[in-house]
Amino acid sequence: MSNKYTVLILSLIMLVSCSNAFSQSHNASAYDHLADPKIQKGHILALTAPETMGRATGSRGSAIARNYIETKFEEYGIEKRGILYSQEFELEVTAGRRGNGESSLGHPSEKIKGYNVIGEIKSTNGSKEYIIIGAHYDHLGEIKGKVYPGADDNASGIAAMLELARMFNTMKGDGKEIGANLIFVAFDGKEQSMAGSRHFVRRLRIHNSNIKCMINIDQIGSTLAPPHKDKNYLLVLGRDSLENWASTQLDLCNRIGGIYMDVAYTFYTS
């Protein structure tokens, strides 16, 4: 997993959240050294440890992973949105699809509980605008006796999200401007028809006009062959759905911040 990715997203969030693109990119680059590969590797090892059993929604392993993320939010000084970090939701799964090795034989469906983990860093200027940074933490669990740890899908994304939360809170503590409210969310239930993200959107209670962008981080430890020659690359999905001003921001950060990752927008298109 390239550490350039975390620095690029840091620069992107700083640029989008503040009006002065150059100065904010400069401020972000001053914190490049905070992006620590060892810390990110530690997150991945914790989330893929044997006791997490692949983090299937509703499993004991999922609860262990959720507790780890909440503990890191608290350690990094990330505020709760409400009285808890966790956001409970209920979903119905088809027999045999729990993925945690627990039999549901004889039951066509069953209801289980999932939990998103949500934290926030408030802006330093009283802004009513929000940027959401998310990644799902659930995975396939255990299927027919085989555990699927999910290091790439998506412990890698959670590791980057936690690192960004730590870096931004450090910047805020150092008196740097945070120009928008930052919501960090670890989604559960992605492998169950994205149940967690659907619940999050329904309960967000923030007007759409106040959400500047949402950055979803998924599978950044991929072993896919690079789209071109550069091994430091980023595959981007969803650019076509952005407004014109927003679709150029990643390229701008890549250039102004001196990161120079190979950013590919058409990898998954025919």
Side-chain angles (χ1 to χ4, degrees), residues 16-31:
V16 173
S17 69
C18 300
S19 58
N20 190 328
F22 176 79
S23 66
Q24 293 307 321
S25 294
H26 179 74
N27 286 343
S29 66
Y31 283 81

Side-chain angles (χ1 to χ4, degrees), residues 57 129 138 206 213 246 262:
T57 299
E129 295 183 317
D138 65 299
I206 297 173
C213 71
D262 183 6

Side-chain angles (χ1 to χ4, degrees), residues 72-90:
K72 290 302 174 183
F73 273 176
E74 186 171 14
E75 178 184 335
Y76 297 157
I78 310 305
E79 298 181 38
K80 302 179 180 72
R81 281 184 61 81
I83 60 174
L84 299 171
Y85 286 122
S86 60
Q87 179 188 57
E88 181 182 309
F89 60 94
E90 189 174 72

